[in-house]
Amino acid sequence: MTFRWNPAGLCAAVAMVGMLTAPVAARAETLADTLKSAYLNSGLLEQNRALLRSADEDVAQALSALRPIINWTADITRDFSSARISGQTRNTASTGTTANLGITGSLLLYDFGRNDLLVEAAKETVLATRQTLISVEQLVLLTAVQAYMNVIRNQEFVALRQNNLRLLREESRAARDRFEVGEVTRTDVAQAESAVALAQSGLAAAQGDLTRAIEEFREAVGRDPGALRAPGDLPGLSGDVNAAKAVAVRRHPDILEAQRNVAAAELNMRAADAAMKPTLNLTARLGTSDDIMDSDGSRSGSVGLELTGPIYQGGRLSSQVRQAMAQRDAQRSQLHLVGLQVKQDVGNAYANLRAARASRDASREAVRAAQVAFEGTREEAKLGARTTLDVLDSEQDLLDAQANLISANADVVIAAYSVLAAIGELTAGDLNLGVQTYDPAAYYDLVKTAPVPISPQGQKLDKVLRALGKK
């Protein structure tokens, strides 16, 4: 029994999985292009930028408590009165309607630093929220890397399956021809036909996986993928895991966020303690009162100092102090836990990278060995020492090895960028994407002084809000 194979088809199948570096179009999309689009189109980033602007406004609101508070009041009062006339038995009644208009103002003079502490706590919260935004940026970019490589992975799988199906169909036709002349049995034909059916199933599954990968790419990047080009140079990474952990502890956004939250909790605790002390305010009032019926009016005004302090509030203030202390302790514990988690993530990321590289090296060797085994089995089949099933099994082993190599190459790229994310260096700035990055301080600088709409700063803020499409 003989078994013939198409050497040119086999070479094509092997070539497409070498290093995921097959020739691509001159204008193929790079990973950097995808990361730029993900950064610019991310709805998750837009959401967290809005949350940061909301935190910026907390600073303005806390600062406003240190400024004069001016309110106007207006009321209309109708008075009813009666009197008994001396020596007579009848009563007389009189009514009057009075309109009052006034302006009241107050200015905090001293409160043992409570509102100053609240302003500083709000600033720390802003800085923490900025670090949250950086964490989200890392997540967005890493998700884009995964989506990019998964599309490439599944495109290669589809191409590999298509080539495999084409070769198996040729062999199935050849098996039927040899059966007609009595060179092989009906069993050999059935085995070849079974292999074709299984290849069709594998191709359909690969095409379904590619469709899902494209959908994931569209969600992560905000558009459809173009002709993707496999990454060439990977980010330069130090092999020293301990040094990488030290860098992560210093700059990872999750740790910096936890540190800011601890500082804010400390300030809030001190502010809660200051709330139990008295406050001194400067008060002023200017008003007018007019009798609507008689057109009589009067003017009045006053200026004074007001010292107020709590005597008994049902234990609420003491409870707030204890609550603030508990929240501070919780934030300290969170900082400790985040530090441990970041170190673990760095160690895990490096372990995954080493495993992916080892898997890639092993897969390359597996492809080489499987190709040698397949060629040997094919030659032995020509001499009658091997069956059609042996050849098909050997071909399947080669296909599996090629698929493993494709997957291993993609895993190495994803693992490398996962290391950057674990360290805290997977940002648009660190990657030099050449895209205009969001400035988290720009909006804060406009609102930190709590401008009013009629002020020059307020008018500038209105222009910014219109540019953001919020007004």
Side-chain angles (χ1 to χ4, degrees):
M1 177 180 60
T2 59
F3 189 88
R4 294 191 298 273
W5 196 256
N6 185 343
L10 176 63
C11 292
V14 175
M16 74 171 64
V17 295
M19 282 292 294
L20 289 177
T21 56
V24 295
R27 297 180 62 84
E29 179 179 345
T30 65
L31 179 57
D33 296 330
T34 295
L35 295 179
K36 289 178 184 178
S37 296
Y39 182 84
L40 294 174
N41 299 333
S42 173
L44 186 59
L45 279 175
E46 284 299 321
Q47 177 193 24
N48 282 270
R49 288 166 185 165
L51 292 175
L52 175 57
R53 294 194 295 271
S54 175
D56 293 341
E57 296 292 353
D58 288 336
V59 176
Q61 293 170 23
L63 181 63
S64 66
L66 298 172
R67 293 180 173 176
I69 306 299
I70 302 175
N71 294 301
W72 62 268
T73 62
D75 67 80
I76 297 178
T77 304
R78 186 171 180 82
D79 295 324
F80 301 92
S81 62
S82 61
R84 182 182 296 274
I85 299 176
S86 178
Q88 299 182 11
T89 59
R90 64 186 182 88
N91 294 333
T92 63
S94 62
T95 61
T97 303
T98 304
N100 299 294
L101 178 65
I103 296 178
T104 62
S106 65
L107 174 64
L108 177 67
L109 297 181
Y110 188 68
D111 65 348
F112 289 86
R114 178 176 180 270
N115 279 284
D116 289 322
L117 292 169
L118 291 176
V119 170
E120 294 303 315
K123 291 180 180 179
E124 292 292 339
T125 301
V126 166
L127 297 176
T129 309
R130 290 182 185 179
Q131 297 302 321
T132 301
L133 181 60
I134 295 175
S135 291
V136 172
E137 180 180 340
Q138 290 205 137
L139 174 62
V140 166
L141 295 180
L142 182 59
T143 302
V145 171
Q146 294 169 338
Y148 184 93
M149 295 309 302
N150 283 335
V151 170
I152 290 179
R153 185 203 314 260
N154 286 284
Q155 286 175 339
E156 293 291 337
F157 282 163
V158 169
L160 184 64
R161 293 285 182 180
Q162 287 174 336
N163 187 73
N164 173 250
L165 177 60
R166 181 174 62 254
L167 297 178
L168 287 174
R169 282 173 172 167
E170 292 176 0
E171 177 53 33
S172 179
R173 287 193 296 269
R176 285 193 296 271
D177 293 341
R178 292 194 299 272
F179 174 73
E180 294 296 334
V181 298
E183 294 183 4
V184 297
T185 67
R186 181 60 186 170
T187 301
D188 296 298
V189 175
Q191 289 171 343
E193 291 174 346
S194 175
V196 170
L198 290 175
Q200 289 174 329
S201 175
L203 175 58
Q207 290 171 334
D209 291 340
L210 176 57
T211 300
R212 286 189 290 271
I214 291 174
E215 292 295 336
E216 292 173 359
F217 184 97
R218 186 179 295 113
E219 179 183 1
V221 182
R223 59 171 174 79
D224 291 334
L228 305 185
R229 182 173 66 192
D233 297 333
L234 294 179
L237 299 172
S238 170
D240 190 343
V241 179
N242 291 328
K245 289 181 179 180
V247 172
V249 169
R250 291 195 306 269
R251 64 164 300 172
H252 196 282
D254 289 353
I255 289 183
L256 298 180
E257 177 190 358
Q259 290 173 344
R260 295 297 183 181
N261 286 334
V262 169
E266 292 275 3
L267 292 166
N268 284 327
M269 185 189 70
R270 293 168 56 188
D273 184 67
M276 303 180 69
K277 298 178 173 64
T279 60
L280 180 63
N281 294 279
L282 174 65
T283 62
R285 184 183 185 281
L286 178 63
T288 179
S289 178
D290 295 310
D291 191 317
I292 296 178
M293 301 299 295
D294 297 337
S295 299
D296 294 332
S298 63
R299 305 290 184 270
S300 64
S302 64
V303 177
L305 293 176
E306 180 184 63
L307 182 65
T308 63
I311 297 177
Y312 178 73
Q313 296 191 7
R316 179 176 62 87
L317 295 179
S318 298
S319 176
Q320 289 177 343
V321 172
R322 295 192 299 271
Q323 183 183 52
M325 293 175 63
Q327 290 172 344
R328 178 208 53 189
D329 295 341
Q331 292 299 334
R332 287 178 175 176
S333 298
Q334 178 67 14
L335 174 59
H336 176 68
L337 293 174
V338 169
L340 294 177
Q341 185 64 54
V342 166
K343 291 179 182 178
Q344 180 182 349
D345 290 344
V346 172
N348 290 343
Y350 268 97
N352 291 337
L353 179 59
R354 288 192 298 268
R357 286 172 172 170
S359 177
R360 180 185 60 185
D361 295 340
S363 296
R364 288 173 179 168
E365 179 61 23
V367 169
R368 185 200 63 78
Q371 182 176 352
V372 172
F374 169 74
E375 292 174 349
T377 303
R378 182 189 59 188
E379 293 301 321
E380 292 173 1
K382 291 179 181 180
L383 301 175
R386 294 281 186 170
T387 66
T388 300
L389 182 59
D390 293 332
V391 177
L392 294 175
D393 288 342
S394 182
E395 194 273 341
Q396 183 63 46
D397 291 340
L398 177 58
L399 176 67
D400 293 341
Q402 292 168 340
N404 289 337
L405 179 56
I406 290 173
S407 189
N409 282 322
D411 289 341
V412 168
V413 176
I414 294 173
Y417 282 92
S418 296
V419 170
L420 290 181
I423 296 174
E425 297 180 347
L426 188 62
T427 66
D430 290 318
L431 297 177
N432 295 318
L433 295 181
V435 64
Q436 183 175 359
T437 57
Y438 182 80
D439 183 4
Y443 186 84
Y444 174 81
D445 290 340
L446 292 174
V447 303
K448 66 181 180 181
T449 57
V452 295
I454 61 175
S455 68
Q457 189 79 349
Q459 294 173 357
K460 184 177 181 181
L461 179 59
D462 284 340
K463 294 180 181 179
V464 173
L465 291 174
R466 284 193 292 270
L468 291 171
K470 309 304 179 186
K471 292 189 88 174

